[in-house]
Amino acid sequence: MKKIVVTTPTGNIGSRVVQLLLQAGVRPTLLVRDPGRLSEGVRSTCDIRQGDLSEQDFVIEATRGVDALFWLIPTNYGAADPVAEVLRLGTIAAAAVQSNQIERTVFLSSSGAEQTGNHLLGTLGLVEDLLNATGQNVVHLRPGYLFTNLFTVVEELRAGVLTTTTSLDHRAGWNDPRDVGEIAAARLLSDSWSGQQVQPIGGPADLSYREVAALVGESIGRTIQAIQISDEEHLQNLLGAGLPAPVAEALVVLSRTIASIKPEDLGRSDSSSTPTSLGAWCYAHLRPLFL
């Protein structure tokens, strides 16, 4: 039986990957810091390896003899330098792939990873380069915005606004994390692809923030106004929400970098489009918070 390792199995994307692998008859190995966050059903049908992805010895040992690896770098809001943290975890992943000659790796990168610079997107691009340098088969999934990001702005939405530092007419792909997880699982299960590849994931349509605000408002039964704010306002909002300064600053730079990405440069095709619409997702997941 194919041996597949999954990181972040309790996250929105990782948990969907695990579910689909189980449905395909695979018994995956899960790398998890706290097994108690997994359901009893998952713990009984998967091999569990408890440890920290930041510990290289643990990762190399836990991935020994595996056929495929799903690597997602978890967000660390407590990191002193979140950009350096992403690169460090990416370096560990590449070391494990190289040391254990893992035949196929599915890496969750991001739309805009081709943007160079000392920021989160540019660093994901560096991680892609590190994984490519192993010479093994690697696919870098590059989704756009995730619908679940809207959970972080619920209080804004209650006030009837949706803020962004990007132009209100700037278009970008929006994705259901479950759809991203399905693409990741399909890649992990398939032996028909090879080489180093990039797969954009853009949801069913490129949306402007004006359109996002309208769709969210229609779904939750409220009028939502999209408002463009400055980088400084965004920074102060993040600091006010309790984020450490280095993380808040990195997120501001992230927003600025996203604003420079042109949707037409990413391309849209059958392989990059996913089925779940933002409106349907909001009706199912956001609307209950406003009833």
Side-chain angles (χ1 to χ4, degrees):
M1 180 181 293
K2 194 169 189 178
K3 187 170 183 180
I4 300 176
V5 166
V6 177
T7 62
T8 64
T10 61
N12 293 315
I13 295 175
S15 60
R16 182 60 172 157
V17 172
V18 171
Q19 181 184 35
L20 292 172
L21 294 180
L22 289 173
Q23 291 173 344
V26 173
R27 183 181 179 92
T29 297
L30 312 183
L31 307 191
V32 61
R33 182 180 297 177
D34 180 9
R37 295 182 60 196
L38 297 168
S39 70
E40 182 178 347
V42 168
R43 291 198 301 271
S44 66
T45 53
C46 300
D47 294 322
I48 310 300
R49 299 299 304 271
Q50 183 175 8
D52 196 315
L53 296 184
S54 65
E55 297 175 1
Q56 181 168 304
D57 290 344
F58 162 71
V59 173
I60 290 178
E61 194 279 328
T63 57
R64 187 166 291 124
V66 308
D67 302 301
L69 168 67
F70 175 65
W71 189 265
L72 187 159
I73 298 176
T75 302
N76 183 359
Y77 290 115
D81 185 341
V83 174
E85 179 75 358
V86 168
L87 183 58
R88 187 165 73 91
L89 291 180
T91 301
I92 289 172
V97 171
Q98 182 70 61
S99 177
N100 294 322
Q101 294 293 285
I102 299 174
E103 187 173 1
R104 285 182 174 79
T105 297
V106 177
F107 172 52
L108 186 77
S109 185
S110 173
S111 173
E114 74 284 351
Q115 305 290 315
T116 59
N118 186 32
H119 46 68
L120 290 171
L121 292 183
T123 304
L124 286 172
L126 292 178
V127 173
E128 291 183 2
D129 292 341
L130 289 171
L131 289 169
N132 287 344
T134 66
Q136 299 300 315
N137 303 310
V138 183
V139 62
H140 309 291
L141 305 184
R142 291 185 179 176
Y145 289 108
L146 297 177
F147 295 165
T148 45
N149 290 345
L150 292 170
F151 284 136
T152 67
V153 294
V154 167
E155 292 309 310
E156 267 193 12
L157 297 176
R158 292 190 192 282
V161 299
L162 178 64
T163 62
T164 177
T165 58
T166 64
S167 164
L168 300 184
D169 296 315
H170 180 266
R171 293 181 174 274
W174 285 73
N175 301 276
D176 185 343
R178 286 171 58 88
D179 290 342
V180 177
E182 289 175 3
I183 292 175
R187 286 288 190 155
L188 291 166
L189 290 166
S190 174
D191 293 329
S192 63
W193 60 275
S194 61
Q196 292 82 41
Q197 304 179 11
V198 169
Q199 181 164 350
I201 308 176
D206 295 321
L207 301 171
S208 71
Y209 251 80
R210 294 185 196 276
E211 292 169 328
V212 170
L215 287 167
V216 171
E218 182 180 357
S219 300
I220 66 177
R222 301 193 179 196
T223 299
I224 304 296
Q225 181 183 5
I227 299 176
Q228 185 176 2
I229 61 175
S230 68
D231 285 353
E232 181 59 29
E233 288 176 294
H234 186 34
L235 177 62
Q236 293 306 316
N237 289 343
L238 293 171
L239 293 173
L243 289 181
V247 176
E249 290 165 0
L251 291 177
V252 170
V253 175
L254 174 63
S255 295
R256 188 186 309 138
T257 308
I258 289 174
S260 68
I261 301 171
K262 297 179 180 179
E264 57 267 27
D265 293 339
L266 303 178
R268 178 170 289 280
S269 65
D270 289 343
S271 64
S272 67
S273 297
T274 49
T276 308
S277 70
L278 177 60
W281 182 91
C282 287
Y283 194 89
H285 299 281
L286 269 187
R287 181 179 173 83
L289 302 179
F290 292 84
L291 295 179

